[in-house]
Amino acid sequence: MSKYKEILSQEKIEQIERGKRIKYIRENELKMPKTKLAKEIGISGQFLGLVEEGKGNLVYRSVKKLRDLSGHSADYILYGLDDTVIAKTKSLLEQYDEEKIIKGIEMLKNFVSFLED
């Protein structure tokens, strides 16, 4: 298989997985029928069906609206990246003042430099 076909194949797999995530968000979290979510994010129900089947992609504006509705990050919607990390990190950092956070970052930088040597 050529490198070009491998890339296209990987992109198709990602598109299918993205569609599954969007469908899961719609059905299990937002509990919305396809037509209602489609209207909320500015597309047709038919096109949302294609996206959920992995046969279409949302444009930026629609991803942004879905992000705002669902509370998920665009990284989660598009790539499946864990978006709870941000909330967990914010929660942990709320326990410390700015000076302690800056010291912690400096310690982390030193640790990374140590690992790279």
Side-chain angles (χ1 to χ4, degrees):
M1 182 184 286
S2 74
K3 191 69 170 169
Y4 179 73
K5 285 185 179 180
E6 285 179 37
I7 291 170
L8 287 180
S9 178
Q10 184 59 38
E11 287 178 2
K12 187 62 182 167
I13 291 168
E14 290 173 5
Q15 187 176 25
I16 291 167
E17 291 301 314
R18 185 169 34 255
K20 288 178 183 178
R21 273 190 302 282
I22 292 168
K23 184 175 183 177
Y24 180 86
I25 291 168
R26 177 181 63 77
E27 291 180 341
N28 299 294
E29 296 176 14
L30 298 174
K31 300 188 184 323
M32 284 187 183
K34 200 178 297 177
T35 53
K36 182 172 182 186
L37 179 59
K39 184 176 180 182
E40 293 281 334
I41 64 173
I43 61 174
S44 71
Q46 183 178 9
F47 185 69
L48 180 56
L50 291 172
V51 169
E52 291 181 351
E53 292 171 12
K55 297 176 182 173
N57 286 307
L58 297 178
V59 296
Y60 170 77
R61 184 186 80 246
S62 297
V63 172
K64 186 173 183 259
K65 287 180 180 181
L66 180 57
R67 182 200 68 193
D68 293 344
L69 281 170
S70 69
H72 284 290
S73 68
D75 284 337
Y76 174 74
I77 295 167
L78 296 173
Y79 310 109
L81 299 176
D82 183 2
D83 59 2
T84 62
V85 171
I86 294 169
K88 289 175 185 174
T89 302
K90 283 182 180 179
S91 176
L92 287 171
L93 290 176
E94 287 174 353
Q95 302 173 37
Y96 304 100
D97 62 25
E98 185 176 339
E99 184 180 332
K100 288 182 180 178
I101 292 170
I102 291 169
K103 285 181 182 179
I105 291 170
E106 289 303 317
M107 287 176 60
L108 186 57
K109 285 179 185 176
N110 291 333
F111 180 68
V112 169
S113 292
F114 172 77
L115 291 176
E116 290 176 345
D117 290 339

